[in-house]
Amino acid sequence: MSIVLLGPPGAGKGTQAKRIEEKYGLVQLSTGDMLRAERKSGSELGRKAQAIMDAGKLVSDDLIIEMISRRIDQLKGGKGFILDGFPRTVPQAEALDRMLAEKGLKLDAVIEMTVDEAALIDRIAGRFSCAKCGASYHDQFNRPKTDGVCDVCGATEFTRRADDRPEAVKIRLKAYREQTAPILPYYRKKGLLHPVDGMASIDEVGRQIEAILGRP
Ligand code: AP5
């Protein structure tokens, strides 16, 4: 199964992708996480992406399309994947269709997570993640079971993203409205778009997604 999670910054794409991974055995392909890993490794791609990401703007379509195509090739023979943060522009959506057709694959569903803009700002402002395994938490909505200790790996160091500063968040929301939202009619026309209420609790959003995807 191949699915896309679409939604503005802070909508909960990463949170739900992790749950779908566990339940359905699909692999999360987050272009944001891949770019952050490239930055950490000091690669040329990572260096090119750094300033663009920190400013809240989108990295060029060419770089992203090549990066995701390579990752999909590495997954051959698995149960499938969840695209989180890709596609983000109409040219990326068109390139994805071509790429999947060439690989003998197709998209099964595009899940659109809708959330009020005020809620997005609160979610992003309160987000932090484990410095060791990357598990995501929130000061208010999703705290670790024991304060200061990661539920997943037990580490005690946490980080906050540079692009979660309020000035960068404004630019990311603008990029979503102007460059990503135009993808919605593209997928609606293909009959692939399934909206879910991203304002509901994390568990309830998960249930809505499972109702769309069917039994694991
Ligand atoms: P990326 O890493 O993809 O960031 P994003 O799309 O802005 O999304 P986020 O990771 O901020 O949010 P999310 O929807 O995953 O929410 P989360 O689950 O964390 O991209 C970063 C940058 O990389 C881009 O700006 C761009 O520069 C570049 N980039 C990446 N892909 C690209 C592409 N394809 N093309 C070009 N450039 C690209 O949830 C947020 C918080 O809310 C968490 O704390 C969570 O615990 C909490 N939460 C989640 N769900 C709920 C809920 N239902 N109720 C209450 N709290 C909740």
Side-chain angles (χ1 to χ4, degrees):
M1 178 158 46
S2 318
I3 65 170
V4 169
L5 288 184
L6 254 184
K13 303 182 294 296
T15 303
Q16 295 300 330
K18 289 269 181 301
R19 294 174 62 117
I20 302 170
E21 257 194 326
E22 279 168 26
K23 267 228 145 99
Y24 291 82
L26 305 180
V27 177
Q28 176 192 17
L29 297 181
S30 156
T31 41
D33 287 350
M34 289 176 205
L35 290 168
R36 282 183 285 276
E38 293 284 347
R39 287 173 60 164
K40 217 169 169 183
S41 76
S43 71
E44 197 193 332
L45 169 56
R47 282 197 300 277
K48 278 187 191 159
Q50 177 146 2
I52 302 170
M53 290 174 79
D54 287 352
K57 296 181 183 158
L58 295 186
V59 175
S60 82
D61 288 339
D62 295 355
L63 292 179
I64 296 284
I65 291 163
E66 199 195 315
M67 182 176 78
I68 202 91
S69 175
R70 261 190 279 125
R71 283 292 287 122
I72 292 175
D73 285 341
Q74 289 165 3
L75 297 178
K76 277 214 173 104
K79 285 189 172 172
F81 48 84
I82 311 146
L83 293 168
D84 159 9
F86 177 87
R88 237 174 168 102
T89 62
V90 171
Q92 289 184 17
E94 291 167 347
L96 175 64
D97 281 346
R98 286 194 299 275
M99 179 197 305
L100 293 180
E102 280 164 17
K103 298 179 198 300
L105 301 168
K106 65 169 183 54
L107 275 184
D108 295 291
V110 176
I111 294 167
E112 178 201 0
M113 307 182 64
T114 58
V115 184
D116 294 350
E117 218 161 268
L120 294 175
I121 291 167
D122 282 351
R123 285 188 189 179
I124 292 173
R127 171 169 57 186
F128 59 98
S129 53
C130 171
K132 192 172 169 203
C133 73
S136 177
Y137 297 98
H138 191 279
D139 291 327
Q140 206 183 330
F141 309 122
N142 186 21
R143 299 189 64 83
K145 291 190 184 84
T146 306
D147 264 349
V149 182
C150 175
D151 295 346
V152 178
C153 73
T156 52
E157 296 277 319
F158 295 88
T159 56
R160 292 186 190 254
R161 277 169 43 179
D163 62 345
D164 281 351
R165 289 169 295 112
E167 318 83 80
V169 171
K170 274 192 206 143
I171 297 170
R172 286 161 63 196
L173 289 170
K174 186 166 179 277
Y176 181 80
R177 283 192 299 268
E178 293 177 359
Q179 292 170 272
T180 308
I183 300 178
L184 299 171
Y186 177 85
Y187 285 127
R188 196 173 293 120
K189 235 188 247 167
K190 290 177 178 280
L192 286 172
L193 194 67
H194 300 271
V196 298
D197 175 14
M199 292 296 289
S201 69
I202 293 175
D203 285 343
E204 174 52 28
V205 177
R207 281 191 285 275
Q208 290 180 37
I209 294 176
E210 284 160 33
I212 295 165
L213 301 182
R215 278 176 182 277

